[in-house]
Amino acid sequence: MTSQPLLLRHHRPFVAFWFARIFTASAFQMLTVAIGWNLYQLTGNVMDLGWVGLIEFAPRLLFMLHTGHVADRYDRRRVAAVCQSLQAMIALTLAISSASDHITREMIFILAFLLGAARSFEMPATQALLPSIVPVELFPRAVAAAQAAQQSATIVAPAFGGLLYAFGSVWVYGPSVALYLIAALLMSNLPARQLPLNKAKATLDSLLAGIRFIRSRPDVLGAISLDLFAVLLGGATALLPVFAKDILLTGPWGLGMLRSAPAIGALLMSLWLARFPVERKVGRVMFTAVGVFGVATIAFGLSTSFWFSLAVLVVLGAADMISMVIRASFVQLETPDEMRGRVSAVNGLFIGASNQLGEFESGATAHWLGTVPAVVLGGVGTLIVTGLWIKLFPGLANRDRMVEERNTL
């Protein structure tokens, strides 16, 4: 057991993958900060910020079936590298336009759509690539370590991007170009997967194969849908500004700390899981983590103490990371290599939809019932869904080992 983490750290393909992941995540977080500030400076319209998020999400819905097929039919290393290179070109266009003072609202919307399209093709390719570059027994650790990279970027990169923006938007766009290009180089030099590529033509039947596969595997369907409804009901992050200002009586600095707290909890938990992965009773642990997520949501909704709310959000982020790592690990291990791209694309759509719709649901419920009841009811809803899913998917709830499930295929 003590030698496995060393094996992961010294596994050169994974190290390259890890750095590529943190570079692309950092570049995207920096771009998000710069695009938001740049757009708001141009128009002064808060609604435009909402449109940017929706425009970036739209390609994931529009191209869902195609993104998975591309990841299964073509070399995933090349797909990821091309997508990262395209994102570098988008950042470069923003840098040149900003430096020449020719950037416009419409240009930002177009580039945001292209950025979302590149990311929608990159995500299933990189997710499906990971199982082919690490041994099966190290895969849960690899997922946790990759998520640690993602959470580190989520915490550090926005602040760094905001600091650089003080010198001008070009100082954010320029480094983003470099980060994307380095990531593309690392990705393109990863070892090729050993199994042959799927050369089948892109028919409607093949495009829908990922959806059919998920429906045919109760454990996979249960895990993906559990995440969808838990985040949809339990997401309270959209209401953090209201809690910070009106309930916890803090200022912008407090809001920043509240927003960072779940990511800090997730980062700490991902580092722990990279060293001590969940190897037994994975179903029970996953459902328990989702339950803790629901309880933490209720506690946050009822809290009037800033520091208690901060601690609860750290616990919430840690619980969410446990669930996410277990789900991502066994879904990938349960899925044959030739299907991983399409399954990852569907899973990515569910994750994106749960986050986007969860923010809408929280806002609408708060508008109708009030802020505190909206968050508390969301946490209660998460607990109800957890109980229902234990009954509806007993195989998932009683799942013991991830690798053993895969070996039975």
Side-chain angles (χ1 to χ4, degrees), residues 3 17 19 28 98 205 242 263 290 300 344 350 394:
S3 63
F17 178 92
F19 276 107
F28 176 72
S98 181
D205 183 70
V242 182
V290 177
F300 174 76
S344 295
F350 275 39

Side-chain angles (χ1 to χ4, degrees), residues 201-226:
K201 292 183 178 180
T203 63
L204 180 61
D205 183 70
S206 66
L207 293 174
L208 294 174
I211 297 175
R212 289 200 304 271
F213 177 84
I214 291 173
R215 291 182 58 188
S216 70
R217 302 296 176 98
D219 285 4
V220 176
L221 175 62
I224 293 177
S225 57
L226 174 65

Side-chain angles (χ1 to χ4, degrees), residues 226-227 229-237 262 286-300 312-313 315-321 323 355 375 378-380 382-383 386:
L226 174 65
D227 176 74
F229 287 106
V231 175
L232 179 65
L233 294 173
T237 55
M286 184 179 70
F287 276 102
T288 300
V290 177
V292 171
F293 179 88
V295 172
T297 300
I298 296 172
F300 174 76
V312 166
L313 289 176
V315 173
L316 183 147
D320 187 46
M321 179 55 61
S323 170
N355 290 326
V375 173
V380 172
T382 297
L383 294 177
T386 302

Side-chain angles (χ1 to χ4, degrees), residues 137-149:
E137 61 272 16
L138 291 180
F139 185 68
R141 298 178 189 267
V143 171
Q147 286 300 318

